[in-house]
Amino acid sequence: MFDYHVHSTYSVDCAIPMEVTCQAAIEAGVTEIAFTDHLDHEPADPGCGYYRADDYLRELDENRDRFAGALTVLRGVEIDFNDRIAGQVEAFVSAYGSEYDFVIGSVHYGFGGAIIFPEYFAERTLDEVFLPYFDQVQKAVETGWFDVIGHLDLPKRYAPKTHRNYDPLRYQERLLPIFDAMIAGGVGFEINTSGLRQAPKTSMPGPSVVRWYVERGGTLITTGTDSHAPQTVGAGLAKTLTMLELNGMQQIASFRKRQPTLVAIADLLGPES
């Protein structure tokens, strides 16, 4: 199984060293892991200025060598994106993009630099949260800077009880042009399993979104746990692979040097599936 969204001490919100997480990945049956630490440029974010690319790359390579033969360890990064910081993101991708195996683009902020946390929903309808969010996602796709988009319907993770009536069907027509842009640009999206163990109790995105993407002709999906602790590495991956198969996706992507290779889900699940 592939866990392509994992954090380490190079993320401001994670205190777990890469070596510990690699060992946990092996124990969880993960065969490929990408450390996708946060790269934040939003001034209000606690992680702004925290990420150290050169130190990260050096430590990543040390662990890649340490676990060679037992675990494939990949260079990854999760880059926060929105209009306000696009110039800084472009500068980083121009300078460092070729150094990575895998790059996630994620939208975490809404109007005026406010992070999409529960308090962001106050005095806003779901449309007022999701539609501008999807606009930013589409812009991220159209830059061509990213291999996949992270947690495609992220706001549902932080919706307070007053806003937990999210139904992806309401946004199907808005998602379709995003899928078209993804397919045209060779950009995919991840299935982020953290929602299975948090308030949404479903992956980000869930089955219906996968089905619409497949029906549109999409083929590029990765899987990741968004782990910040060793006990969640690999969590929900097998369930997610089964969900993908049931919704028409027979392969997931493996990345090397920003280039995807499609791998049959049946091969990852094994004969007992």
Side-chain angles (χ1 to χ4, degrees):
M1 294 185 294
F2 304 159
D3 196 340
Y4 273 35
H5 193 150
V6 173
H7 296 274
S8 78
T9 53
Y10 290 91
S11 292
V12 71
D13 57 354
C14 182
I16 309 302
M18 290 184 191
E19 183 176 359
V20 173
T21 297
C22 286
Q23 189 58 51
I26 293 169
E27 293 170 3
V30 171
T31 56
E32 296 187 6
I33 190 170
F35 282 95
T36 52
D37 284 301
H38 294 292
L39 174 62
D40 300 307
H41 292 104
E42 189 65 51
D45 196 289
C48 185
Y50 185 86
Y51 184 73
R52 307 180 312 281
D54 294 325
D55 291 341
Y56 162 88
L57 293 169
R58 181 169 52 253
E59 186 168 337
L60 188 289
D61 290 350
E62 290 171 357
N63 281 281
R64 182 180 59 194
D65 294 342
R66 180 179 292 121
F67 290 96
L71 178 69
T72 298
V73 182
L74 301 174
R75 292 175 163 194
V77 62
E78 181 185 12
I79 304 178
D80 184 50
F81 174 86
N82 64 64
D83 282 340
R84 294 177 301 280
I85 57 172
Q88 294 156 282
V89 173
E90 182 177 23
F92 180 86
V93 173
S94 296
Y96 280 96
S98 63
E99 297 291 331
Y100 291 88
D101 292 301
F102 179 64
V103 176
I104 301 173
S106 294
V107 175
H108 296 99
Y109 283 83
F111 289 109
I115 195 165
I116 301 176
F117 274 179
E119 54 270 24
Y120 182 79
F121 289 78
E123 300 182 2
R124 288 188 174 97
T125 66
L126 280 179
D127 283 359
E128 289 170 336
V129 174
F130 271 95
L131 292 176
Y133 168 82
F134 286 135
D135 289 344
Q136 290 296 314
V137 167
Q138 181 150 2
K139 289 178 181 180
V141 171
E142 292 172 347
T143 65
W145 299 336
F146 311 113
D147 300 316
V148 303
I149 297 299
H151 35 59
L152 184 59
D153 49 7
L154 173 72
K156 73 181 183 185
R157 173 180 172 183
Y158 295 109
K161 292 180 179 179
T162 53
H163 289 69
R164 287 189 187 161
N165 56 339
Y166 167 75
D167 182 352
L169 184 61
R170 181 174 180 85
Y171 301 106
Q172 182 180 11
E173 292 304 313
R174 181 62 190 90
L175 286 166
L176 294 182
I178 295 175
F179 295 157
D180 291 342
M182 287 177 166
I183 293 165
V187 179
F189 62 84
E190 70 165 1
I191 303 297
N192 187 305
T193 71
S194 67
L196 293 169
R197 59 184 188 268
Q198 295 168 344
K201 300 304 179 186
T202 182
S203 59
M204 296 179 287
S208 57
V209 175
V210 171
R211 185 169 62 255
W212 300 331
Y213 173 69
V214 171
E215 290 171 350
R216 206 71 173 179
T219 60
L220 193 61
I221 284 179
T222 59
T223 55
T225 60
D226 209 342
S227 289
H228 293 68
Q231 63 268 26
T232 56
V233 176
L237 292 181
K239 181 177 182 178
T240 293
L241 292 176
T242 299
M243 179 274 286
L244 288 170
E245 280 195 315
L246 290 172
N247 286 278
M249 180 62 65
Q250 303 303 316
Q251 299 172 309
I252 63 167
S254 170
F255 275 83
R256 302 288 188 279
K257 298 183 184 296
R258 310 289 306 277
Q259 296 300 311
T261 299
L262 297 182
V263 179
I265 291 174
D267 292 341
L268 296 174
L269 288 174
E272 296 182 1
S273 64

